[in-house]
Amino acid sequence: MGRVRITCWILLLQSLSVFAEDENDVIIQAPDVTPFGRWGRMENCSQGLFVTAFQVKVEGKHSIVDDTGLNGVRFYCGTPTTLEDEAGQSYLTWENVTSSVGLFGHWGHVNNCTTYAVGFDLEVQEPQGKYKDDIGASNLKVLCADGAQIEGYFNNGEGHKFHNVSYTGVQRCPTGYALCGIKTKVEIYQVLGDDTGLNNIAAKCCSLTDVIPIIAG
Ligand SMILES: *[C@@H]1O[C@H](CO)[C@@H](O)[C@H](O)[C@H]1NC(C)=O
Ligand SMILES: *[C@@H]1O[C@H](CO)[C@@H](O)[C@H](O)[C@H]1NC(C)=O
Ligand SMILES: *[C@@H]1O[C@H](CO)[C@@H](O)[C@H](O)[C@H]1NC(C)=O
Ligand SMILES: *[C@@H]1O[C@H](CO)[C@@H](O)[C@H](O)[C@H]1NC(C)=O
């Protein structure tokens, strides 16, 4: 009897916490390869908008002293074009979101999915050890719903690969979800120390079906 009552309480609390959660959002994150940096805030697309384009801020390989690689990621949020007519995506992109951004590098091209983004793959350099230059993350690929994978940095028309970097694996939203927010782990300026810029990314996935009534209405 007592056990049944406790089970009921647990079920009730679980269902309450589901309602208290922000809808059915899912967070995807790359593995933490480096110990550097602090997480910024999750910055979200407005309700009903999803990531359709992105831009990376990269400090190119310029020295043997202190490179930082990837410093920032900006997501552009719009209406997924597959849910619309063939109006073209440029005017459907309405806003941009960034979380923490490092001090170094410059913003490159805006890379567009012809559809919308459903995942990412972060390229990171393994920690290089004492007295060696660390850069943290070095590049980002975004996965589009049509299967395209767009690599941010090399699409900037620049293209030197950093050493000891590798892609950490595809992080993908569940089926029926698309990217709708970003959070970045960035190291603050080290003054005389070794700067790394951006070290990790987490993204929020929102359900596409939640939004169809909004688009239709
Ligand atoms: C973005 O959404 C998350 C919930 O998914 C929330 O915790 C966070 O506070 C939101 N960010 C901002 C800046 O409102
Ligand atoms: C992506 O779309 C934007 C807005 O329409 C445009 O300015 C930009 O040139 C496009 N990027 C590429 C790489 O085609
Ligand atoms: C991003 O959005 C802000 C408003 O939130 C705007 O002021 C800024 O110009 C936008 N940046 C780009 C690169 O589109
Ligand atoms: C890192 O790169 C350097 C030179 O590119 C190489 O000699 C070294 O073996 C690499 N380290 C690891 C752990 O792969």
Side-chain angles (χ1 to χ4, degrees), residues 52-54 76 88-93 109-113 150 155:
T52 56
F54 77 104
Y76 290 82
Q89 77 193 78
S90 55
Y91 84 88
L92 294 173
T93 300
H109 294 165
V110 176
N111 302 296
N112 306 297
C113 286
I150 307 174
N155 280 21

Side-chain angles (χ1 to χ4, degrees), residues 77-187:
C77 310
T79 307
T81 39
T82 50
L83 298 180
E84 282 280 337
D85 57 17
E86 294 302 311
Q89 77 193 78
S90 55
Y91 84 88
L92 294 173
T93 300
W94 290 316
E95 61 181 34
N96 68 82
V97 288
T98 47
S99 179
S100 300
V101 174
L103 283 176
F104 306 98
H106 62 268
W107 292 104
H109 294 165
V110 176
N111 302 296
N112 306 297
C113 286
T114 52
T115 47
Y116 50 88
V118 294
F120 70 89
D121 194 350
L122 186 66
E123 188 187 61
V124 185
Q125 184 189 58
E126 66 200 63
Q128 298 296 289
K130 230 177 169 181
Y131 309 127
K132 299 247 179 77
D133 181 30
D134 281 298
I135 63 168
S138 47
N139 207 344
L140 175 73
K141 275 184 201 165
V142 163
L143 276 63
C144 307
D146 61 359
Q149 288 197 13
I150 307 174
E151 190 167 39
Y153 182 46
F154 295 113
N155 280 21
N156 287 354
E158 306 173 74
H160 14 240
K161 198 125 180 117
F162 294 98
H163 68 274
N164 301 132
V165 298
S166 56
Y167 274 99
T168 48
V170 167
Q171 311 300 326
R172 187 188 285 275
C173 295
T175 307
Y177 284 70
L179 295 189
C180 63
I182 185 164
K183 189 167 109 166
T184 46
K185 191 175 180 227
V186 172
E187 189 184 50

Side-chain angles (χ1 to χ4, degrees), residues 11-25:
L11 287 176
L12 178 63
L13 288 173
Q14 276 177 347
S15 60
L16 283 177
S17 72
V18 165
F19 285 116
E21 282 286 319
D22 216 76
E23 306 135 36
N24 310 305
D25 300 338

